[in-house]
């Protein structure tokens, strides 16, 4: 018989209790009682012997010899052996029941495995979850796609990288940690609402209402909400959508765009075991964003300086970041 592979007995018992496969109808197997033989490794497997309409005739556990006992219902030839990992329709002609127990299985017809009710329920649940996840992904990026235009994303990123290379050639771009100034965001950028009024954790947990709230705020021009959506995209490894949000930030001339681009490059370059955040480009983009006043980039740079043993400059940049965004001190 094509029985599925057994799961650990303790997990099976817990799951079987929750699904109602175990109950008081199970009983010790009599020597002459008809049975179906499972593979030896399927001893102690929860099961139900049912009619096709779901009426339960017997339920319990297979015995130590991996046998499941079966019972007749007058006037019926069609039955179902239901287990957690599959169900097997069984046709039992009336003349099979009087046979010796060892000959019973050879008399019946066991049809191919079907999904159990639990498996069907799980499949439906996974399908709903996948649909919700796809919808959340679409919600997170749709507003940015409308504002930027998907065909324009590569051009925006290329132009921004060109601008970054020009910045690296300036005195500011060449400045070392000692000469690095404490940049401040432009007033129009700094006054954007914080994420404190938005359900950030719920959005990161992919709750549809929270994702929609963030998308609505970003659609209204709140770059901090856009940055939060970027974080969720990166956690979801939705790198393509993350590019669109970065393009929107850069198009809006928000310094966080350079820092998020660095984060995206670090994630994608290290995705398959590459160098990731160690690249000079990533570090340079973070410096560029920090110079333009992005507090998150300033905090990232401070951490890098701490790692390099430059505690004084790290503390200076960290103070600069927290002065603009006190939540970074948490």
């Amino acid at each position: 018989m094509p029985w599925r592979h057994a799961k650990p007995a303790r997990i099976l018992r817990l799951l079987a209790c929750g699904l109602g496969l175990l109950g008081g109808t199970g009983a010790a197997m009599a020597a002459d009682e008809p049975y179906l033989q499972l593979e030896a490794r399927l001893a102690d497997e929860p099961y139900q012997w049912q009619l096709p309409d779901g009426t339960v005739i017997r339920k319990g556990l297979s015995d130590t010899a991996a046998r499941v006992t079966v019972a007749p219902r007058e006037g019926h030839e069609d039955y179902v052996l239901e287990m957690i990992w599959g169900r097997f329709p069984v046709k039992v002609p009336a003349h099979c029941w009087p046979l010796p127990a060892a000959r019973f299985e050879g008399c019946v017809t066991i049809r191919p495995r079907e999904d159990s009710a639990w498996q069907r329920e799980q499949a439906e649940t996974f399908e709903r979850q996948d649909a919700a996840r796809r919808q959340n992904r679409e919600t997170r990026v749709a507003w940015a796609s409308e504002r930027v235009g998907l065909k324009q994303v590569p051009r925006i990123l290329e132009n921004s990288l060109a601008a970054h290379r020009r910045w690296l050639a300036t005195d500011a771009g060449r400045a070392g940690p000692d000469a690095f100034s404490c940049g401040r965001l432009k007033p129009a950028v700094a006054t954007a609402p914080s994420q404190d009024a938005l359900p950030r954790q719920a959005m990161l947990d992919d709750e549809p209402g929270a994702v929609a709230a963030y998308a609505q705020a970003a659609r209204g021009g709140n770059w901090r909400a856009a940055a939060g959506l970027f974080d969720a995209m990166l956690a979801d490894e939705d790198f393509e959508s993350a590019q669109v949000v970065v393009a929107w930030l850069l198009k809006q001339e928000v310094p966080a765009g350079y820092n998020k681009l660095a984060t995206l490059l670090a994630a994608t370059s290290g995705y398959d075991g590459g160098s990731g955040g160690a690249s000079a480009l990533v570090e340079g983009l973070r410096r560029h964003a920090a110079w333009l006043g992005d507090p998150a980039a300033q905090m990232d740079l401070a951490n890098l300086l701490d790692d390099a043993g430059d505690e004084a400059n790290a503390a200076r940049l960290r103070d600069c970041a927290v002065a603009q965004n006190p939540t970074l001190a948490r």
Side-chain angles (χ1 to χ4, degrees):
M1 298 177 69
W3 308 116
R4 282 288 186 91
H5 181 67
K7 303 297 179 183
R10 182 173 180 274
I11 296 175
L12 276 176
R13 283 180 178 273
L14 291 172
L15 184 54
C17 287
L19 296 174
L21 289 180
L22 294 180
T25 57
M29 182 174 169
D32 59 348
E33 197 167 9
Y35 65 85
L36 297 176
Q37 180 66 57
L38 307 181
E39 294 180 10
R41 56 190 170 82
L42 297 180
D44 207 32
E45 173 93 3
Y47 75 93
Q48 286 185 352
W49 181 250
Q50 306 172 351
L51 296 178
D53 65 4
T55 301
V56 177
I57 300 173
R58 176 167 293 179
K59 60 183 175 179
L61 296 172
S62 58
D63 67 8
T64 56
R67 298 174 298 182
V68 297
T69 59
V70 296
R73 178 63 61 91
E74 187 175 353
H76 290 272
E77 289 191 351
D78 292 317
Y79 299 86
V80 176
L81 177 62
E82 174 102 13
M83 294 182 295
I84 292 173
W85 311 112
R87 66 195 304 270
F88 298 84
V90 182
K91 189 172 189 66
V92 186
H95 67 269
C96 296
W97 294 107
L99 294 175
R103 292 175 54 194
F104 175 81
E105 184 172 316
C107 181
V108 307
T109 301
I110 302 172
R111 298 188 179 92
R113 190 200 71 84
E114 301 172 355
D115 285 343
S116 67
W118 178 77
Q119 286 175 309
R120 291 194 297 273
E121 181 180 339
Q122 289 294 101
E124 291 170 0
T125 298
F126 292 147
E127 185 175 346
R128 288 194 300 272
Q129 290 172 343
D130 284 345
R133 183 167 177 258
R134 289 193 299 270
Q135 181 59 56
N136 280 340
R137 278 192 164 200
E138 174 61 24
T139 301
R140 286 192 309 228
V141 75
W143 64 273
S145 301
E146 295 167 6
R147 297 291 190 273
V148 172
L150 292 179
K151 291 183 179 180
Q152 299 302 314
V153 170
R155 181 183 61 81
I156 293 171
L157 297 181
E158 289 169 8
N159 289 346
S160 297
L161 286 171
H164 170 64
R165 287 191 292 271
R166 291 193 295 271
W167 178 81
L168 288 175
T170 66
D171 290 342
R174 291 191 295 264
D178 291 334
F180 205 80
S181 70
C182 183
R184 291 288 191 274
L185 290 173
K186 294 179 180 178
V189 176
T191 55
S194 74
Q195 294 185 56
D196 290 345
L198 292 169
R200 179 175 172 83
Q201 189 55 54
M203 182 273 296
L204 293 173
D205 290 339
D206 232 14
E207 295 182 16
V211 173
Y214 258 79
Q216 182 178 357
R219 188 185 298 276
N222 185 344
W223 67 266
R224 289 189 171 97
L229 290 171
F230 171 91
D231 295 340
M233 293 168 179
L234 219 64
D236 195 22
E237 296 182 356
D238 186 6
F239 302 133
E240 185 174 354
S241 296
Q243 278 189 25
V244 183
V245 173
V246 168
W248 181 85
L249 289 168
L250 291 168
K251 185 178 180 181
Q252 299 300 115
E253 298 184 352
V254 176
Y258 285 112
N259 197 39
K260 294 303 185 185
L261 179 56
T263 300
L264 179 60
L265 290 173
T268 53
S269 64
Y271 187 70
D272 293 319
S275 60
S279 74
L281 177 58
V282 168
E283 187 269 341
L285 286 166
R286 295 208 194 283
R287 285 197 299 114
H288 195 169
W291 184 273
L292 293 173
D294 181 59
Q298 291 168 347
M299 185 63 77
D300 289 337
L301 272 187
N303 293 335
L304 289 174
L305 290 171
D306 257 339
D307 293 341
D310 190 350
E311 296 179 2
N313 282 318
R316 181 168 60 85
L317 267 180
R318 189 169 289 111
D319 290 344
C320 184
V322 171
Q324 294 194 89
N325 185 353
T327 64
L328 292 174
R330 294 174 187 171

